[in-house]
Amino acid sequence: MIGKERIDLRFDPPPDLVMEVDVTSKTQLDAYETLGVPEVWLYEDDKLRINILRDGKYIESEISPTFPNLPILQAIPQFVEQSRTIGRSPTLRRFRQWVREQIIL
């Protein structure tokens, strides 16, 4: 939405995926339901939850419809922990490599 000062949902679609990570002020899921965001990832207390919008309400899912072939629930917490021990930049490089390897499979 670069260059927009206000979003008009009649013309501007919601994002396909929202991620919230251990933030002080969290957006309630019902706000995302109202916007019609199809998928919301919440990372809290070293655990990732994938929420999928079905019939106007979120249900928890083991698989991301956006990335159905990636084991997101297992991988993300591992990479977050890795970033704590080896740092952000090396972890991002490893994460990118992991994604490339998963896509090739």
Side-chain angles (χ1 to χ4, degrees), residues 38-83:
E39 185 172 356
V40 177
W41 295 3
L42 301 172
Y43 188 82
E44 185 175 39
D45 299 324
D46 296 325
K47 183 179 181 208
L48 178 67
R49 286 186 7 240
I50 298 173
N51 297 281
I52 308 302
L53 192 62
R54 294 280 185 259
D55 300 320
K57 293 289 179 192
Y58 284 107
I59 59 167
E60 205 163 325
S61 175
E62 296 288 317
I63 298 169
S64 165
T66 305
F67 303 102
N69 298 321
L70 296 179
I72 298 295
L73 284 180
Q74 296 76 27
I76 296 299
Q78 290 174 357
F79 282 106
V80 169
E81 181 57 35
Q82 207 172 83
S83 73

Side-chain angles (χ1 to χ4, degrees), residues 4-19:
K4 289 208 172 229
E5 292 185 25
R6 292 185 65 74
I7 295 173
D8 185 338
L9 292 175
R10 293 174 298 168
F11 306 104
D12 304 316
D16 295 321
L17 172 66
V18 167
M19 292 181 255

Side-chain angles (χ1 to χ4, degrees), residues 77-94:
Q78 290 174 357
F79 282 106
V80 169
E81 181 57 35
Q82 207 172 83
S83 73
R84 292 179 182 139
T85 58
I86 67 169
R88 189 175 81 178
S89 293
T91 301
L92 284 172
R93 283 191 293 277
R94 288 181 182 189

Side-chain angles (χ1 to χ4, degrees), residues 13-33:
D16 295 321
L17 172 66
V18 167
M19 292 181 255
E20 285 202 8
V21 181
D22 280 336
V23 291
T24 306
S25 175
K26 293 182 172 72
T27 303
Q28 298 297 313
L29 278 179
D30 59 349
Y32 294 125
E33 288 172 351

